[in-house]
Amino acid sequence: MYKVFVNDKPIIITDSLQEDKKFPIYFFDEVNINEIIYKIKKENIPGVYLFAKNIEKAWREFRENFKIIKAAGGLVFNQEKEILFIYRGKKWDLPKGRVEESEEIETTAIREVEEECGVYNLKITSFLTTTYHVFYHFKELRLKETFWFLMNTDFKGKPKPQIEEGIVKAVFKNHTNTLQALQNTFTNIVLVYESYQTTAK
């Protein structure tokens, strides 16, 4: 199963028809992807299922509709087991950014945390998950593919938000405040946190 978000609403590509019925179901081979995205953006539907017998083939064909933008970021813990968040556009988020030409994904993830939060001494401990969302850039449909890593740091200073990128806060949050932040974030960020919870069990 693949989940791609459009305005925080999911397109779920699946090879199972045993899903819950909260979203309408379409057959992948019978739909126009641009029309599905337009429908999600403009109509009052919470998301869609796209059923495909060969899910990997469908995923390859789905990706062909977009210019792919690769990004990477981190779920960062300090020594007090607090998580690093940024606040931008009236939502809590995790630090992330685009992969530069010839840059390794892991290098991007660390660089973006450093740049967006002023937090250093970062160490990647594991890969967490990949998230996807669709957006328009100068009327061109793009698919952002973000690779997320679990990180630790012994950084003791105060995080410094990258104001020029629209980030107004960069803070470490304890468990209670993390759960509160997850009430005002993007669904993809919730998926990253849930992926961490799964690996931590």
Side-chain angles (χ1 to χ4, degrees), residues 69-76 94-117 119 122 124 144-149 151 162:
I69 305 297
K70 292 185 180 296
L75 181 69
V76 182
L94 297 175
K96 64 185 180 302
R98 293 188 182 185
V99 177
E100 295 182 352
E101 187 175 355
S102 301
E103 188 176 40
E104 296 291 331
I105 297 293
E106 293 86 351
T107 302
T108 300
I110 289 175
R111 175 180 57 76
E112 287 293 335
V113 173
E114 292 176 342
E115 291 178 354
E116 294 194 343
C117 303
V119 171
L122 297 159
I124 291 177
K144 181 176 266 190
E145 181 178 47
T146 305
F147 302 89
W148 294 97
F149 297 89
M151 301 183 194
Q162 191 178 20

Side-chain angles (χ1 to χ4, degrees), residues 63-143:
R63 290 168 63 93
E64 290 172 358
N65 291 274
F66 310 94
K67 179 176 180 179
I68 308 296
I69 305 297
K70 292 185 180 296
L75 181 69
V76 182
F77 281 88
N78 63 13
Q79 291 184 313
E80 285 70 43
K81 302 300 182 184
E82 297 169 323
I83 296 177
L84 181 62
F85 280 88
I86 61 174
Y87 192 74
R88 174 168 51 192
K90 298 183 179 181
K91 282 185 178 287
W92 290 105
D93 202 347
L94 297 175
K96 64 185 180 302
R98 293 188 182 185
V99 177
E100 295 182 352
E101 187 175 355
S102 301
E103 188 176 40
E104 296 291 331
I105 297 293
E106 293 86 351
T107 302
T108 300
I110 289 175
R111 175 180 57 76
E112 287 293 335
V113 173
E114 292 176 342
E115 291 178 354
E116 294 194 343
C117 303
V119 171
Y120 299 93
N121 302 334
L122 297 159
K123 180 181 179 181
I124 291 177
T125 57
S126 65
F127 172 75
L128 282 175
T129 191
T130 307
T131 60
Y132 305 92
H133 79 267
V134 169
F135 64 100
Y136 281 96
H137 184 73
F138 296 116
K139 297 184 179 181
E140 180 186 42
L141 269 177
R142 299 190 176 191
L143 175 66

Side-chain angles (χ1 to χ4, degrees), residues 15 17-18 30 61 86 91 117 121 144 174 178 186:
D15 57 2
L17 287 176
Q18 302 304 312
E30 298 177 3
E61 292 178 0
I86 61 174
K91 282 185 178 287
C117 303
N121 302 334
K144 181 176 266 190
N174 62 24
T178 290
F186 303 99

